[in-house]
Amino acid sequence: MQKEIMAKIKIRYVSDQIEKLTYIDGKSDWIDLRAAEDVVLKAGEFKLISLGVCMQLPEGYEAHIVPRSSTFKNFGVLQANHMGVVDCSYCGNNDIWRFPALAMRDTEIHVGDRICQFRIMENQPKIVFEEVDNLEGADRGGFGSTGIV
């Protein structure tokens, strides 16, 4: 079954030093994002690293930004918010996408280094919460109860 093609997304590159966005080697529907600035961090330091792009996402869509699987190994940084969500209202010329990096060791990141990836997702549908006294499902033992293998 073929996926529906989304409307075009307007993108503004604020750096001419990074590659234009493309799918990851044609193997995934995630798209790599690159550092648009050189960054030197000492262990424990935090920096919002420019990703060199602004986008105008279609109404009803959002971007999910996560680290690449090699980001920590290669650079020793964690994404401080674990997953970034860019909604369609973040769409101005100065709404530059950034990667909130927390350095766990001294590191250098250079312009063009692939540090994170994103995908476009449709917004969650509207939901209504129905308050009840009891749930019908079987208890699994609570959060973190699956044990150690």
Side-chain angles (χ1 to χ4, degrees):
M1 187 162 107
Q2 212 172 32
K3 289 185 180 181
E4 183 178 326
I5 297 174
M6 178 188 289
K8 291 182 181 177
I9 294 176
K10 292 180 181 178
I11 185 168
R12 177 175 174 259
Y13 289 93
V14 295
S15 171
D16 60 1
Q17 296 181 312
I18 58 171
E19 291 182 26
K20 304 295 186 197
L21 300 185
T22 59
Y23 286 103
I24 300 172
D25 298 325
K27 299 175 188 173
S28 173
D29 61 354
W30 288 82
I31 300 169
D32 282 338
L33 291 163
R34 298 171 183 272
E37 60 182 317
D38 288 326
V39 176
V40 176
L41 293 169
K42 299 287 185 197
E45 289 184 332
F46 171 83
K47 168 95 171 136
L48 286 171
I49 301 172
S50 173
L51 299 171
V53 296
C54 306
M55 289 186 217
Q56 187 173 349
L57 301 177
E59 186 72 31
Y61 288 86
E62 61 194 24
H64 294 179
I65 303 171
V66 299
R68 297 181 75 244
S69 61
S70 61
T71 298
F72 186 78
K73 174 182 67 80
N74 291 342
F75 304 108
V77 297
L78 299 173
Q79 183 171 342
N81 61 350
H82 303 289
M83 182 182 93
V85 177
V86 177
D87 65 33
C88 65
S89 69
Y90 193 72
C91 60
N93 275 330
N94 294 308
D95 291 332
I96 300 168
W97 290 19
R98 298 181 188 276
F99 180 81
L102 175 62
M104 303 308 291
R105 61 173 165 83
D106 293 358
T107 190
E108 290 184 19
I109 298 170
H110 300 286
V111 170
D113 285 344
R114 296 179 299 162
I115 57 174
C116 56
Q117 57 192 334
F118 79 100
R119 71 185 318 179
I120 306 295
M121 303 292 295
E122 196 167 1
N123 293 147
Q124 175 174 282
K126 298 286 183 199
I127 58 174
V128 175
F129 292 100
E130 178 185 352
E131 189 172 342
V132 297
D133 291 327
N134 294 296
L135 300 175
E136 297 170 5
D139 282 337
R140 291 186 49 194
F143 185 81
S145 65
T146 56
I148 298 173
V149 176

